[in-house]
Amino acid sequence: MGTSRGTSIAGLGMTELGRVYGRSPRRLAADAVRLAAADAGLALGDLDGLLVSHGMGGSPGIELAGTLGLRDLRLLSQVNAFGATAGAMVSYAASAVLSGTATTVACVFADAPLKPKQSAGSAYNRDAREWYGFGGMTAALGLRSVNSYYALAAQRHMARYGTTSEQLGAIAVATREWASRNPLAQMRDPITLADHQNSRWVSEPLHLLDCCLVSNGAIAVIVTSDDRARDLARPPVHLWGWGQGHPGHRKERGSEFGLTTGAASSGATAMKMAGITPSDVDVCELYDCYTYTVLVSLEDYGFCAKGEGGAFAASGALGPGGSLPTNTGGGQLSAYYMWGMTPLSEAVIQARGDGGERQAPSSDVILVSGNGGILDHHSTLIVSPHRKGA
Amino acid sequence: MEIGVLRRDGRTDPFFDGTASDRLVIKRCEACDRWFAPDAAGCPECGEEDLGWAQASGAATLVTWTVLPKDPPAFLALVELAEGPWLHARLDGAARADLREGLPLGVAFEHPDEGESYILFRPWTE
């Protein structure tokens, strides 16, 4: 067998996720890297690269290398593209392996925004008696939560294309149906469309069941060459393609805010590299901070026409038994919110065939998305249990 | 919903000087003939970092909106000023039935007892 120029994910490490208290984000990150290395059958000393990312708390950073006792690293950096970071980290790790910069790179995300006895929603909310400057005025007047910014985006899509709350609800219901089959999911009780419609408004047009969870925990993956991955403990999850898209929509006349996202360009880049089209994709693991994010990503990736994401979701395509199994672990809406590591971790599980009751009928080509800011940043990965072109 | 007290941050003083005297003052790049929000960091066309300030008409249209479940409900929005920039804003005097893309709006100035004056947007009526 000759050598190839491909890269793979060889290890996956996941700490307990959800209301997990008593461990700092740095400690959680260290635990996830250890778990990922063990999963791959590697010793920590086999790692020669580490890429680190964090949530809103600002930790961990590159000091994680010291925490883990890693020595003589050839690649060490903090990466931040908000919710697009996981896909970006994996692509940088793969590029480093292909260039010879490093051979075996751990990529980790950790966050612990939840505190004991605190509601999940309040973990990200802003409140104050005094506000400063023009930006402070915007917050003072009521725009204090990311929920409201995504609500503005979703409402624009609804007004322009006739997208409905019930269509968003179809995404919430399908995602929960997947979660009910995932022992790792935080929310496993099935929901109906009526449950979605009756859940309280967070910021119209978004109901509570349109919004993701908040979770503590950490997830890491190990990226290495196909040739090395082949000799490790678990079947390689091959990286076929990657891309990013940062549309830079200006807040001014003519802006496409809320209508199109960076999924369009990042998806095109990743699919071209992978040599596939949307019709080749068996499973989607999409960044679902909100149901609406799934809907607009499906359109921008080309799984349906622009403006038809609502009808596509309502057709039943996304749930178990559907034509495009999407967020098969329950996503961020129902399973766990580890930013871009939520869709990536489930993609690895599906590619390995480890999905148990939720294993998709076919998982030869899996698309993974990341979305950051208010639809400002996007990343895409195409992964497969098979070598590209094999 | 409690709006709280607004203070200056030293970077947008002309905006608050304007609201105090019922004028909407935003940033403008004279060279490019383009208008920007009061917190714009520079002109993305020519790179000018020291944008000037100029008075906008106060006419706007509704781009998109969200309603917060408060008592009474808070109507929040993205509005497009006649000069082109979008502002995150709060609507006053709007009903759900009014809300549509392109709804004409006009700026209104509020002068609280404490803190800086601020702006709201109201459905435009002749």
Side-chain angles (χ1 to χ4, degrees), chain A residues 364-385:
Chain A
D364 292 327
V365 181
I366 304 173
L367 182 147
V368 184
S369 83
N371 163 67
I374 314 298
L375 306 163
D376 295 309
H377 310 290
H378 206 97
S379 63
T380 306
L381 296 173
I382 309 292
V383 306
S384 171

Side-chain angles (χ1 to χ4, degrees), chain A residues 127-144 147-149 151-157 159-160 200-205 250-257, chain B residues 1-9 12 15-16 34 38-39 44-45 63-69 76-78 80-90 96 101 114 118-120:
Chain A
D127 215 346
R129 196 186 108 75
E130 298 203 350
W131 304 86
Y132 290 86
F134 181 78
M137 185 186 81
T138 297
L141 293 175
L143 281 156
R144 298 179 193 176
N147 296 326
S148 289
Y149 286 90
L152 291 171
Q155 177 58 53
R156 192 167 195 228
H157 197 280
R160 184 66 61 92
R200 68 177 170 84
W201 291 118
V202 168
S203 193
E204 289 181 44
R250 292 184 196 163
K251 294 296 190 300
E252 64 184 20
R253 183 170 294 140
S255 171
E256 288 283 300
F257 171 76
Chain B
M1 145 176 236
E2 192 68 36
I3 286 179
V5 178
L6 287 171
R7 305 290 187 196
R8 295 187 182 214
D9 63 355
T12 49
F15 172 78
F16 289 108
R34 292 175 70 100
D39 57 349
E45 293 297 318
V63 176
T64 183
W65 59 91
T66 178
V67 185
L68 286 185
L76 308 172
L78 266 171
E80 180 172 300
L81 300 182
E83 291 79 9
W86 289 7
L87 300 183
H88 288 106
R90 182 162 175 159
R96 274 190 179 74
E101 277 191 284
E114 187 185 0
Y118 57 87
I119 56 172
L120 302 171

Side-chain angles (χ1 to χ4, degrees), chain A residues 161-219:
Chain A
Y161 299 118
T163 307
T164 67
S165 175
E166 289 81 359
Q167 291 170 340
L168 295 179
I171 295 172
V173 170
T175 306
R176 182 64 62 87
E177 201 176 342
W178 285 116
S180 72
R181 304 167 179 213
N182 181 1
L184 297 172
Q186 288 174 233
M187 306 289 276
R188 299 188 61 192
D189 292 337
I191 56 172
T192 65
L193 192 55
D195 292 331
H196 171 270
Q197 291 293 295
N198 293 331
S199 67
R200 68 177 170 84
W201 291 118
V202 168
S203 193
E204 289 181 44
L206 300 180
H207 288 276
L208 180 66
L209 290 178
D210 287 307
C211 306
C212 68
L213 307 169
V214 181
S215 309
N216 291 356
I219 297 180

